[in-house]
């Protein structure tokens, strides 16, 4: 029997990058997967590819920073698939700037998507998980939230916030049979990091003990572990998938 047979998963930011590969990995493991993102066309493609992996998959265009939009989508997923076992809060953005130049808008946009979006996701989905007395919530943080990063004070603060949120909710929901963990990826090759200048990449590389950037599939595999029964005794953990960068 597939690892996640009869489980229902929700992945935010599933149109590309880490979220897309995560949705595909969950579908391949047998989960019915709801793929959420802002770009309708791309997220439909993810769902289409997930169906080819053998799983049932749904696609939704949604902005995770809008509570009512997200709530309506989750209600629809529950109505169609009958349960919610896994939530992956992956949607995230960067608006980099040095602190003295950073605008309030850049700060707010990053906080609204990365931190408030994860809060909304957990708040909405945990209602269903509490009724089921089971569930797995995986929040995508970042190495920046652990060690900080120049020019990313908004992003690093949002990701450090994700870690505090993960640990607090893990304590609250543990008696309800729900595990809540975070993953802190290092530099992963996606559209988000393709924006980095070549010279920045050259400076970064020697700092990574494993000597290379990571692949989205390598984060997806860590998500799969935290979404599966293999991690039933793990909660409130921050799993570093960073080639040793934060060591
Ligand atoms: P990406 O930019 O390739 O994809 C981001 C996804 O989030 C897209 O599907 C986009 O539609 C979605 N999204 C953004 N804002 C949204 C909103 N308001 N509502 C719904 N969906 C929204 O990014 P990537 O690299 O795949 O990153 C995924 C997650 O991993 C993010 O949380 C990011 O912060 C985190 N991360 C990425 C690292 C990297 O090196 N690529 C390193 C550490 C963390």
């Amino acid at each position: 029997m597939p690892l996640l047979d009869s489980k229902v998963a929700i992945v935010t930011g599933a149109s590309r990058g880490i979220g897309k590969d995560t949705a595909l990995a969950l579908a391949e493991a047998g989960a019915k997967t709801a793929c959420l993102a802002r770009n309708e066309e791309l997220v439909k493609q993810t769902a289409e590819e997930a169906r080819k992996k053998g799983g049932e998959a749904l696609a939704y265009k949604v902005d995770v920073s809008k509570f009512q939009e997200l709530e309506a989508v989750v209600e629809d997923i529950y109505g169609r698939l009958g349960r919610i076992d896994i939530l992956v809060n992956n949607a995230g953005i960067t608006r980099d700037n040095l602190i003295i130049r950073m605008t309030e808008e850049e700060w707010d946009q990053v906080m609204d998507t990365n931190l408030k979006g994860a809060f909304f996701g957990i708040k909405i989905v945990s209602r269903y998980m509490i009724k089921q007395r089971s569930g797995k919530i995986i929040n995508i943080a970042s190495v920046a939230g652990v060690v900080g990063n120049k020019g990313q004070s908004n992003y690093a603060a949002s990701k450090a916030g994700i870690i505090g949120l993960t640990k607090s909710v893990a304590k609250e929901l543990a008696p309800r049979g729900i595990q809540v963990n975070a993953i802190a990826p290092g530099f992963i090759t996606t559209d988000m990091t393709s924006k980095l200048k070549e010279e920045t990449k050259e400076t970064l590389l020697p700092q990574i003990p494993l000597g290379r950037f990571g692949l989205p599939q390598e984060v997806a595999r860590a998500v799969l572990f935290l979404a599966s029964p293999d991690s039933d005794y793990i909660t409130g953990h921050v799993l570093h998938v960073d080639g040793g960068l934060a060591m």
Side-chain angles (χ1 to χ4, degrees), residues 26-225:
L26 294 173
E28 199 167 16
K32 294 173 190 164
T33 308
C35 309
L36 280 51
R38 289 170 310 181
N39 185 316
E40 190 167 13
E41 215 164 289
L42 288 180
V43 84
K44 277 186 178 163
Q45 269 177 33
T46 305
E48 187 57 43
E49 286 179 43
R51 267 177 236 122
K52 287 193 187 129
K53 300 261 179 202
E56 200 174 322
L58 302 172
Y60 293 91
K61 175 182 160 47
V62 64
D63 180 342
V64 296
S65 68
K66 305 268 173 5
F67 184 83
Q68 282 166 350
E69 258 184 47
L70 188 59
E71 191 180 41
V73 162
V74 173
E75 276 171 11
D76 192 75
I77 295 165
Y78 186 76
R80 284 167 192 262
L81 302 178
R83 48 187 300 118
I84 299 172
D85 301 287
I86 299 157
L87 168 67
V88 186
N89 279 312
N90 164 80
I93 56 167
T94 51
R95 294 287 182 271
D96 297 353
N97 218 337
L98 294 173
I99 192 73
I100 54 166
R101 294 204 195 119
M102 187 167 291
T103 63
E104 187 176 351
E105 199 186 3
E106 286 165 340
W107 178 271
D108 286 345
Q109 283 177 351
V110 167
M111 286 296 167
D112 284 355
T113 296
N114 299 11
L115 189 53
K116 200 155 81 171
F119 156 58
F120 285 166
I122 296 170
K123 184 176 162 68
I124 296 163
V125 162
S126 58
R127 278 184 220 151
Y128 301 98
M129 291 181 170
I130 287 169
K131 269 196 224 145
Q132 289 165 195
R133 299 202 60 80
S134 71
K136 303 269 194 182
I137 297 173
I138 299 116
N139 299 316
I140 307 300
S142 166
V143 65
V146 180
V147 301
N149 200 19
K150 273 191 272 183
Q152 287 201 311
S153 52
N154 52 354
Y155 181 77
S158 75
K159 295 299 188 177
I162 286 276
I163 293 173
L165 173 71
T166 300
K167 292 182 180 180
S168 305
V169 179
K171 285 183 177 172
E172 271 184 48
L173 298 182
R176 313 293 194 131
I178 300 164
Q179 289 92 53
V180 188
N181 292 290
I183 292 179
F187 287 87
I188 310 296
T189 310
T190 66
D191 289 297
M192 185 179 270
T193 44
S194 68
K195 286 184 241 158
L196 291 174
K197 291 188 204 121
E198 268 319 302
E199 56 176 285
T200 313
K201 289 187 192 168
E202 276 164 31
T203 335
L204 280 170
L205 212 48
Q207 297 173 38
I208 304 171
L210 288 180
R212 63 173 178 86
F213 295 117
L215 299 170
Q217 301 91 287
E218 292 177 305
V219 180
R221 270 182 236 132
V223 176
L224 193 56
F225 167 65

